[in-house]
Amino acid sequence: MSCRNEFLQKYLHQVLTQLPSCPCSYPSEVVYGAISIPDRRLRRTYRWRDASGPKERLDIYKPSARFCVRSMLSYDSLTLGAQHCCYDDRMRLITRGKGAGAPDLIGAEFSPELHYQVDVLPWILCKGDWSRFHSARPPNNGLTCPENPAEPAFQTELREAREY
């Protein structure tokens, strides 16, 4: 997270600007298999799959999230990254706080081992302080969805993260 390597900084910028935007509400049809969702900003369609299963450990990594989705790699992807978006129990995008998704530098479908090293391990090294992690990898809200959680709940989560 504090690495100032020029290549990594350029790659992170590429991931943040070239991944699809998170849908504002959980696309529930994704529970049946991969789905395609057009992205207006990038003018193309991306495939998404559910990322809410037991092996995702939402209870640990995204504690207030009920559902998550992750974009899939395609043949014309310019990075190996994936967008990770999480939703509350009302299927609304969590745009900030402990349950918000964050872009993956390496998609788990490309390499689970590399994904663990560059996406999961930094979160662990932050000792669960998602605010530090999100300062380097901000949750996506490219479609300008309503802020979720509301300000009072967000401030409480922020205080808890920093006092942990």
Side-chain angles (χ1 to χ4, degrees), residues 51-68 84 86:
S52 307
K55 72 177 189 158
E56 295 285 342
R57 296 305 311 257
L58 298 184
D59 58 326
I60 293 173
Y61 299 114
K62 309 292 178 205
S64 64
R66 174 69 175 91
F67 310 99
C68 293
H84 190 220
C86 294

Short mmCIF file of all heavy atoms in Angstrom, two decimals, residues 51-68 84 86:
data_model
loop_
_atom_site.label_atom_id
_atom_site.label_comp_id
_atom_site.label_asym_id
_atom_site.label_seq_id
_atom_site.Cartn_x
_atom_site.Cartn_y
_atom_site.Cartn_z
N ALA A 51 -20.35 -13.17 -6.05
CA ALA A 51 -19.18 -13.32 -5.17
C ALA A 51 -19.65 -13.28 -3.72
O ALA A 51 -19.07 -12.60 -2.88
CB ALA A 51 -18.16 -12.22 -5.46
N SER A 52 -20.75 -14.01 -3.45
CA SER A 52 -21.34 -13.99 -2.11
C SER A 52 -21.22 -15.33 -1.39
O SER A 52 -21.71 -15.46 -0.28
CB SER A 52 -22.83 -13.64 -2.20
OG SER A 52 -23.04 -12.46 -2.91
N GLY A 53 -20.64 -16.30 -2.02
CA GLY A 53 -20.58 -17.65 -1.45
C GLY A 53 -19.73 -17.75 -0.20
O GLY A 53 -18.99 -16.82 0.16
N PRO A 54 -19.79 -18.89 0.46
CA PRO A 54 -19.08 -19.10 1.73
C PRO A 54 -17.57 -18.88 1.62
O PRO A 54 -16.96 -18.36 2.55
CB PRO A 54 -19.38 -20.56 2.10
CG PRO A 54 -20.53 -20.96 1.25
CD PRO A 54 -20.58 -20.06 0.07
N LYS A 55 -16.95 -19.24 0.50
CA LYS A 55 -15.50 -19.09 0.40
C LYS A 55 -15.07 -17.62 0.30
O LYS A 55 -13.91 -17.29 0.49
CB LYS A 55 -14.93 -19.90 -0.76
CG LYS A 55 -15.25 -19.36 -2.12
CD LYS A 55 -14.60 -20.18 -3.21
CE LYS A 55 -14.76 -19.47 -4.53
NZ LYS A 55 -13.81 -19.87 -5.50
N GLU A 56 -16.01 -16.73 0.03
CA GLU A 56 -15.70 -15.29 -0.03
C GLU A 56 -15.53 -14.69 1.35
O GLU A 56 -14.96 -13.62 1.50
CB GLU A 56 -16.79 -14.52 -0.79
CG GLU A 56 -16.91 -14.90 -2.25
CD GLU A 56 -15.80 -14.32 -3.11
OE1 GLU A 56 -15.11 -13.36 -2.67
OE2 GLU A 56 -15.62 -14.82 -4.23
N ARG A 57 -16.06 -15.36 2.37
CA ARG A 57 -15.95 -14.93 3.77
C ARG A 57 -16.37 -13.46 3.97
O ARG A 57 -15.64 -12.65 4.53
CB ARG A 57 -14.54 -15.15 4.30
CG ARG A 57 -14.09 -16.60 4.36
CD ARG A 57 -15.03 -17.51 5.16
NE ARG A 57 -15.44 -17.03 6.46
CZ ARG A 57 -14.95 -17.47 7.60
NH1 ARG A 57 -14.06 -18.41 7.62
NH2 ARG A 57 -15.40 -16.97 8.74
N LEU A 58 -17.58 -13.13 3.50
CA LEU A 58 -18.09 -11.77 3.67
C LEU A 58 -18.13 -11.39 5.15
O LEU A 58 -17.94 -10.22 5.49
CB LEU A 58 -19.48 -11.63 3.05
CG LEU A 58 -19.59 -11.85 1.55
CD1 LEU A 58 -21.01 -11.57 1.08
CD2 LEU A 58 -18.60 -11.00 0.78
N ASP A 59 -18.36 -12.35 6.02
CA ASP A 59 -18.42 -12.06 7.45
C ASP A 59 -17.12 -11.48 7.97
O ASP A 59 -17.11 -10.71 8.93
CB ASP A 59 -18.81 -13.32 8.24
CG ASP A 59 -17.84 -14.48 8.02
OD1 ASP A 59 -17.30 -14.63 6.90
OD2 ASP A 59 -17.64 -15.27 8.96
N ILE A 60 -16.01 -11.80 7.33
CA ILE A 60 -14.71 -11.29 7.76
C ILE A 60 -14.29 -10.08 6.93
O ILE A 60 -13.95 -9.03 7.47
CB ILE A 60 -13.63 -12.39 7.64
CG1 ILE A 60 -13.92 -13.48 8.66
CG2 ILE A 60 -12.22 -11.82 7.84
CD1 ILE A 60 -13.03 -14.69 8.53
N TYR A 61 -14.31 -10.22 5.59
CA TYR A 61 -13.75 -9.20 4.72
C TYR A 61 -14.73 -8.06 4.37
O TYR A 61 -14.30 -6.95 4.07
CB TYR A 61 -13.24 -9.83 3.42
CG TYR A 61 -12.13 -10.83 3.67
CD1 TYR A 61 -12.31 -12.18 3.42
CD2 TYR A 61 -10.91 -10.43 4.20
CE1 TYR A 61 -11.31 -13.10 3.66
CE2 TYR A 61 -9.90 -11.34 4.45
CZ TYR A 61 -10.10 -12.67 4.17
OH TYR A 61 -9.10 -13.57 4.42
N LYS A 62 -16.02 -8.32 4.40
CA LYS A 62 -17.04 -7.30 4.09
C LYS A 62 -18.19 -7.45 5.07
O LYS A 62 -19.30 -7.84 4.72
CB LYS A 62 -17.57 -7.48 2.65
CG LYS A 62 -16.51 -7.58 1.58
CD LYS A 62 -15.78 -6.28 1.42
CE LYS A 62 -14.69 -6.45 0.36
NZ LYS A 62 -13.62 -5.52 0.51
N PRO A 63 -17.96 -7.17 6.37
CA PRO A 63 -18.90 -7.55 7.42
C PRO A 63 -20.32 -7.00 7.33
O PRO A 63 -21.22 -7.62 7.87
CB PRO A 63 -18.22 -7.09 8.71
CG PRO A 63 -17.14 -6.18 8.30
CD PRO A 63 -16.78 -6.51 6.90
N SER A 64 -20.56 -5.89 6.68
CA SER A 64 -21.95 -5.42 6.60
C SER A 64 -22.60 -5.76 5.26
O SER A 64 -23.76 -5.42 5.03
CB SER A 64 -22.02 -3.91 6.85
OG SER A 64 -21.33 -3.21 5.83
N ALA A 65 -21.89 -6.45 4.40
CA ALA A 65 -22.42 -6.82 3.08
C ALA A 65 -23.22 -8.11 3.15
O ALA A 65 -22.89 -9.03 3.90
CB ALA A 65 -21.29 -6.97 2.07
N ARG A 66 -24.27 -8.16 2.38
CA ARG A 66 -25.10 -9.37 2.27
C ARG A 66 -24.84 -10.09 0.95
O ARG A 66 -24.91 -11.30 0.87
CB ARG A 66 -26.57 -8.98 2.40
CG ARG A 66 -27.56 -10.08 2.18
CD ARG A 66 -27.53 -11.11 3.31
NE ARG A 66 -28.56 -12.09 3.14
CZ ARG A 66 -28.40 -13.25 2.49
NH1 ARG A 66 -27.25 -13.55 1.95
NH2 ARG A 66 -29.39 -14.10 2.38
N PHE A 67 -24.54 -9.31 -0.11
CA PHE A 67 -24.30 -9.85 -1.44
C PHE A 67 -23.10 -9.14 -2.06
O PHE A 67 -22.88 -7.97 -1.77
CB PHE A 67 -25.49 -9.60 -2.38
CG PHE A 67 -26.82 -10.01 -1.81
CD1 PHE A 67 -27.67 -9.07 -1.25
CD2 PHE A 67 -27.23 -11.33 -1.86
CE1 PHE A 67 -28.90 -9.42 -0.74
CE2 PHE A 67 -28.47 -11.70 -1.36
CZ PHE A 67 -29.31 -10.76 -0.79
N CYS A 68 -22.38 -9.82 -2.94
CA CYS A 68 -21.31 -9.18 -3.71
C CYS A 68 -21.29 -9.77 -5.12
O CYS A 68 -21.75 -10.89 -5.34
CB CYS A 68 -19.94 -9.40 -3.07
SG CYS A 68 -19.69 -8.59 -1.48
N HIS A 84 -14.99 -5.39 -7.72
CA HIS A 84 -15.68 -6.12 -6.66
C HIS A 84 -16.68 -5.15 -6.04
O HIS A 84 -16.29 -4.09 -5.54
CB HIS A 84 -14.66 -6.60 -5.64
CG HIS A 84 -15.21 -7.54 -4.64
ND1 HIS A 84 -14.86 -7.50 -3.32
CD2 HIS A 84 -16.09 -8.57 -4.73
CE1 HIS A 84 -15.49 -8.45 -2.65
NE2 HIS A 84 -16.24 -9.11 -3.50
N CYS A 86 -20.20 -4.70 -3.50
CA CYS A 86 -20.97 -5.36 -2.45
C CYS A 86 -22.24 -4.56 -2.12
O CYS A 86 -22.29 -3.34 -2.31
CB CYS A 86 -20.12 -5.54 -1.20
SG CYS A 86 -18.75 -6.70 -1.48
#
